[in-house]
Amino acid sequence: MTTALLSSLKVTVRPADGSSNPLIQRREKLLTKLGQQKILATALIENEVHTFYREKWVKDEETGEKEKVQVPKKVSPWFYKRNNRYYFEVRSGNKPLELQKGMHAIEVGEEEDLVSTIDTIIEAVVAGELDHLLTKGDKPGTKKDKTNGKK
């Protein structure tokens, strides 16, 4: 048996699967949500309405078979207008992240700057600048452990 064909390929170790890392999962989820916010901001700037959809299995009344249909999904914007200025909150688990001590919102200014602000936040998430906020609840002693204190 000859290995001339196989020797022309680059063989390597199987890369680690990042899906088991909770930090990577939280980062990916936040990036997905930020992508949705970017779409909402673009729709606001262009005076359009955007509807997000999710897939759901529904049983057909006549045939009794299940089929997958798309149903509207409510996505609330993370930006709001106060005193003629726009503000943006980065949210995780439906709570705003504290970006600096006591500060949860980013002052955007005009609505045209929303998309560029969201792009900057996306770059920060990819660079890992928000990792300490995404893992905040993972520190020892912050979660109630049922076995804690029991012998």
Side-chain angles (χ1 to χ4, degrees):
M1 175 163 57
T2 62
T3 59
L5 295 175
L6 283 179
S7 62
S8 67
L9 301 175
K10 182 179 178 182
V11 180
T12 183
V13 179
R14 182 179 184 182
D17 184 14
S19 65
S20 62
N21 185 343
L23 176 61
I24 301 295
Q25 290 174 346
R26 289 179 187 154
R27 238 192 244 169
E28 290 297 322
K29 185 175 182 179
L30 182 58
L31 288 171
T32 301
K33 301 285 185 180
L34 285 168
Q36 291 175 346
Q37 294 303 313
K38 187 174 175 181
I39 292 170
L40 286 176
T42 305
L44 174 73
I45 292 168
E46 297 173 355
N47 290 326
E48 296 176 357
V49 176
H50 185 81
T51 305
F52 291 95
Y53 294 94
R54 66 179 181 91
E55 292 183 339
K56 180 179 178 181
W57 286 97
V58 177
K59 189 174 184 178
D60 191 343
E61 295 292 330
E62 297 174 8
T63 63
E65 294 182 15
K66 289 187 177 183
E67 60 181 342
K68 197 181 281 190
V69 296
Q70 289 191 343
V71 293
K73 174 182 170 183
K74 183 178 187 239
V75 176
S76 299
W78 292 354
F79 49 87
Y80 51 91
K81 187 175 184 179
R82 298 281 191 281
N83 300 327
N84 292 325
R85 301 196 63 75
Y86 277 89
Y87 296 88
F88 187 85
E89 292 180 343
V90 181
R91 300 175 88 70
S92 176
N94 205 24
K95 293 189 179 186
L97 295 176
E98 188 176 31
L99 302 173
Q100 290 182 0
K101 186 74 174 167
M103 298 183 191
H104 298 84
I106 298 168
E107 185 176 336
V108 176
E110 301 297 319
E111 73 179 24
E112 293 82 21
D113 299 331
L114 277 169
V115 174
S116 62
T117 302
I118 295 171
D119 283 335
T120 304
I121 296 167
I122 289 172
E123 290 174 20
V125 171
V126 170
E129 293 182 24
L130 297 179
D131 287 355
H132 66 284
L133 298 173
L134 296 175
T135 59
K136 204 168 194 174
D138 290 346
K139 293 178 183 170
T142 56
K143 290 185 179 178
K144 293 185 179 180
D145 189 4
K146 293 181 181 179
T147 60
N148 214 8
K150 293 182 182 178
K151 292 183 180 181

